């Protein structure tokens, strides 16, 4: 029985898992979350109603980072997205949390605020989210300094890069990365050229018109 991923290609957290699946050419079937029936099934599997959700036979796996950890345990491929070395693995997991907490979350705050009625918008909260993104960009720029860091955790592509790829992709759309942050800008460009993430980006192109703040004519 194939792996089944309940997901949408334009979701940042779904792209995180799709990048991991494509990195190792892991066979799976995607069930597109696009109508009332598909979301009803998602809610049956996970009442919180957040995507993606992975089904592996009788096993239901929830949350993007846990799905990638699960794949590493039960469907490993040639590329280890989580290093065997415990210290390196801890660093990768930290960077994954950094991405989700300090890049993905504030980015989504800005995006979701655009969906609110004008009278219910939160300009103060959006301002805080933009400030957090700028802090995250600067911290990442310092971390990426030097040739030893082509990827977030060093020389090998890992879970951290699966997380940062969609996070930085969308974050730069809503709160641009300053040109002076050359390391972060170059890293985002490398991520866009990575075949696994490039595939996820290309598959999502038909949905760009639905990006609430408006998608820029680039990337």
């Amino acid at each position: 029985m194939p792996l089944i991923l309940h997901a949408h290609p334009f979701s940042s957290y779904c792209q995180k898992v799709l990048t991991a699946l494509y990195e190792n050419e892991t066979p799976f079937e995607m069930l597109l979350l696009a109508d009332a029936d598909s979301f009803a099934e998602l809610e049956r599997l996970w009442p919180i109603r957040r995507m993606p959700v992975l089904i592996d036979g009788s096993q239901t796996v929830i949350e993007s980072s846990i799905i990638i950890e699960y794949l590493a345990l039960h469907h490993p491929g040639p590329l280890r997205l989580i290093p065997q070395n415990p210290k390196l693995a801890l660093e990768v997991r930290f960077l994954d949390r950094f991405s989700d907490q300090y890049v993905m979350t504030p980015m989504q705050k800005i995006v979701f605020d655009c969906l609110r009625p004008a009278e219910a918008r939160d300009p103060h909260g959006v301002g805080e989210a933009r400030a957090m993104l700028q802090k995250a960009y600067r911290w990442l720029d310092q971390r990426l300094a030097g040739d030893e860091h082509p990827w977030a955790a060093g020389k090998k592509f890992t879970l951290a890069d699966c997380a940062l790829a969609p996070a930085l992709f969308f974050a730069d759309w809503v709160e641009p990365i300053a040109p002076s942050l050359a390391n972060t800008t170059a890293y985002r460009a490398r991520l866009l050229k990575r075949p696994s993430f490039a595939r996820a980006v290309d598959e999502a192109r038909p949905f760009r018109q639905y990006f609430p703040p408006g998608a820029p004519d680039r990337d």
Side-chain angles (χ1 to χ4, degrees), residues 93-167:
R93 291 185 175 102
F94 159 70
L95 288 165
D96 171 61
R97 301 319 304 140
F98 165 81
S99 176
D100 284 3
Q101 296 293 327
Y102 306 118
V103 183
M104 199 89 85
T105 294
M107 176 273 293
Q108 290 188 328
K109 167 67 178 177
I110 298 168
V111 171
F112 292 153
D113 195 72
C114 294
L115 296 172
R116 292 179 168 189
E119 65 276 10
R121 290 187 178 170
D122 178 16
H124 180 76
V126 167
E128 289 182 328
R130 293 187 184 281
M132 179 58 72
L133 283 174
Q134 290 297 336
K135 288 179 182 178
Y137 296 159
R138 290 193 295 271
W139 182 87
L140 188 61
D141 199 73
Q142 293 176 351
R143 177 182 174 80
L144 293 169
D147 293 338
E148 71 276 11
H149 278 106
W151 301 113
K155 295 183 178 181
K156 293 184 178 181
F157 193 92
T158 66
L159 162 66
D161 304 294
C162 293
L164 281 161

Side-chain angles (χ1 to χ4, degrees), residues 29-184:
E29 176 185 348
M30 183 161 73
L31 293 185
L32 183 66
L33 291 165
D35 55 28
D37 289 342
S38 61
F39 276 97
E41 175 62 10
L42 176 69
E43 188 170 12
R44 185 188 70 80
L45 294 168
W46 178 221
I48 301 298
R49 209 167 179 258
R50 290 290 185 267
M51 62 180 89
V53 170
L54 181 75
I55 304 298
D56 184 13
S58 61
Q59 186 72 38
T60 300
V61 191
I62 297 161
E63 290 294 315
S64 58
S65 299
I66 303 305
I67 290 172
I68 295 172
E69 294 260 11
Y70 178 89
L71 291 170
L73 285 173
H74 299 281
H75 300 274
L79 180 65
R80 287 188 175 273
L81 294 172
I82 300 159
Q84 280 187 301
N85 182 293
K87 289 181 67 176
L88 293 177
L90 189 63
E91 181 181 15
V92 165
R93 291 185 175 102
F94 159 70
L95 288 165
D96 171 61
R97 301 319 304 140
F98 165 81
S99 176
D100 284 3
Q101 296 293 327
Y102 306 118
V103 183
M104 199 89 85
T105 294
M107 176 273 293
Q108 290 188 328
K109 167 67 178 177
I110 298 168
V111 171
F112 292 153
D113 195 72
C114 294
L115 296 172
R116 292 179 168 189
E119 65 276 10
R121 290 187 178 170
D122 178 16
H124 180 76
V126 167
E128 289 182 328
R130 293 187 184 281
M132 179 58 72
L133 283 174
Q134 290 297 336
K135 288 179 182 178
Y137 296 159
R138 290 193 295 271
W139 182 87
L140 188 61
D141 199 73
Q142 293 176 351
R143 177 182 174 80
L144 293 169
D147 293 338
E148 71 276 11
H149 278 106
W151 301 113
K155 295 183 178 181
K156 293 184 178 181
F157 193 92
T158 66
L159 162 66
D161 304 294
C162 293
L164 281 161
L168 288 173
F169 175 74
F170 286 109
D172 185 58
W173 281 9
V174 299
E175 179 64 18
I177 301 166
S180 59
L181 300 177
N183 298 322
T184 303

Side-chain angles (χ1 to χ4, degrees), residues 11-44:
S11 158
S12 53
Y13 280 111
C14 293
Q15 287 186 7
K16 176 177 169 179
V17 172
L18 288 169
T19 300
L21 288 163
Y22 294 154
E23 275 293 327
N24 279 314
E25 299 182 353
T26 306
F28 74 100
E29 176 185 348
M30 183 161 73
L31 293 185
L32 183 66
L33 291 165
D35 55 28
D37 289 342
S38 61
F39 276 97
E41 175 62 10
L42 176 69
E43 188 170 12
R44 185 188 70 80

